[in-house]
Amino acid sequence: MADFGLSFGFPVPGGVRTAGGWQLSWPGCAVMGIVNVTPDSFSDGGRGAEAALLHARQLLLGGALVLDIGGESTRPGAPAVDAATELDRVRPVIRGLAGSGAVISIDTMKPEVAAAALGAGAHLVNDVSGLRDTRMRAVCAERGAPACIMHMQGEPRTMQLAPHYGDVVTEVFGFLAAQAELALAAGVPGVLLDPGIGFGKTPQHNLALLRALPQLTARPWPVLVGGSRKKFLAALSGEPQGSADSRDAASLALHLHAARAGTAMVRVHDARGHALALRVQAALEGA
Ligand code: HH2
């Protein structure tokens, strides 16, 4: 079982001081628990701050290492929200988790939201637009926060209308490597790379990327995969009409595959189920 790590420019729960800052390390594939504070997320929308905090604590107890707090849905067709609204949603949850021992990730595409969330106690920036915005790279670098760089073709409102690639694996993995180099050159202390399952991709594109994961995990950066409850799983599992939360078993199969391929972190709704299954898988592999 491989050890993974991320560098931070400031203290992080569970991290150790190094010459250049702080290092968070973990053995094998870790769980990032999803905390959506939105009215319209595809699987678990409708939670206010109080309910989100309660849910976040359950994810931690269930075995999540990181909590990913989001205030804007990125489901296909979702309307954009302004920075003030997004921040009003996530800030009370981030503040409420201060001192809980959680590593807190802010799921946002907006540099101003990332900066305010880091100021409120977040540790990591999860940007589904892949740190394309130079201001986002600058925020992470100035604050010493590592970032998750995700690939998305287009933007959430329209990304599933007609996704197209010449060679999806080469294009997505090439984009991630280029963005990682740009981010590190700008002074971002560490990166996680994410192929962006379902973000401007057909089911065939998702499958090609998931099958090719060993090519991405062989590179120098830790990889994150987020397939939890996504729609393409419904077709794969033969239950196209199933509700989002009926997709947990299918999500588990996808993420165990990702872990076997060397993925460092999986972004999931069901933290406890994933933590237990990943531990069993690690034991079976002799780790
Ligand atoms: N998927 C979603 C949101 N953020 N971030 C990363 N790094 N990778 C992902 O695959 C990813 C992500 C979409 O899922 P969810 O948060 O459950 O839904 P919504 O965007 O509707 O809130």
Side-chain angles (χ1 to χ4, degrees):
M1 188 163 62
D3 277 333
F4 299 104
L6 268 181
S7 301
F8 295 74
F10 49 80
V12 58
V16 295
R17 177 114 222 204
T18 62
W22 279 262
Q23 176 79 8
L24 178 69
S25 303
W26 62 95
C29 186
V31 168
M32 171 187 264
I34 301 172
V35 184
N36 286 321
V37 202
T38 57
D40 57 346
S41 286
F42 78 93
S43 144
D44 59 350
R47 264 196 212 107
E50 283 287 305
L53 259 176
L54 205 66
H55 181 63
R57 296 204 177 96
Q58 280 162 357
L59 293 172
L60 266 186
L61 286 174
L65 175 72
V66 180
L67 296 175
D68 190 36
I69 321 289
E72 177 180 28
S73 173
T74 53
R75 79 188 147 74
V81 298
D82 61 66
T85 306
E86 196 180 330
L87 204 49
D88 282 348
R89 291 176 183 170
V90 295
R91 196 158 31 198
V93 181
I94 294 169
R95 288 199 175 132
L97 287 169
S100 68
V103 177
I104 301 168
S105 160
I106 172 69
D107 185 355
T108 186
M109 294 183 270
K110 300 187 186 74
E112 57 273 45
V113 173
L118 291 168
H123 306 97
L124 170 70
V125 174
N126 174 23
D127 179 8
V128 300
S129 62
L131 253 54
R132 280 177 225 246
D133 187 333
T134 53
R135 291 175 306 151
M136 191 65 118
R137 299 201 287 272
V139 165
C140 293
E142 279 158 21
R143 307 278 174 142
C148 177
I149 295 175
M150 198 198 78
H151 175 275
M152 165 166 61
Q153 186 178 81
E155 39 109 18
R157 219 165 30 81
T158 53
M159 66 189 177
Q160 288 306 105
L161 294 181
H164 61 280
Y165 298 86
D167 176 337
V168 66
V169 171
T170 309
E171 286 174 39
V172 171
F173 293 178
F175 167 85
L176 293 175
Q179 291 304 104
E181 302 286 5
L182 271 180
L184 296 169
V188 179
V191 292
L192 279 159
L193 302 187
D194 180 349
I197 300 305
F199 281 83
K201 288 155 191 116
T202 63
Q204 290 70 29
H205 294 143
N206 292 326
L207 277 178
L209 290 165
L210 289 165
R211 289 183 182 134
L213 273 176
Q215 291 177 40
L216 188 61
T217 59
R219 299 191 187 199
W221 308 287
V223 170
L224 183 146
V225 169
S228 193
R229 298 183 180 171
K230 288 188 178 169
K231 198 171 164 198
F232 91 110
L233 288 171
L236 282 186
S237 60
E239 286 209 345
Q241 307 310 332
S243 62
D245 62 359
S246 73
R247 295 177 199 149
D248 279 339
S251 307
L252 208 47
L254 185 159
H255 291 129
L256 290 178
H257 160 82
R260 265 194 305 274
T263 293
M265 197 175 288
V266 288
R267 181 182 180 277
V268 306
H269 297 89
D270 174 20
R272 181 168 159 73
H274 279 81
L276 297 179
L278 285 164
R279 260 181 246 146
V280 171
Q281 177 161 282
L284 289 169
E285 286 171 356

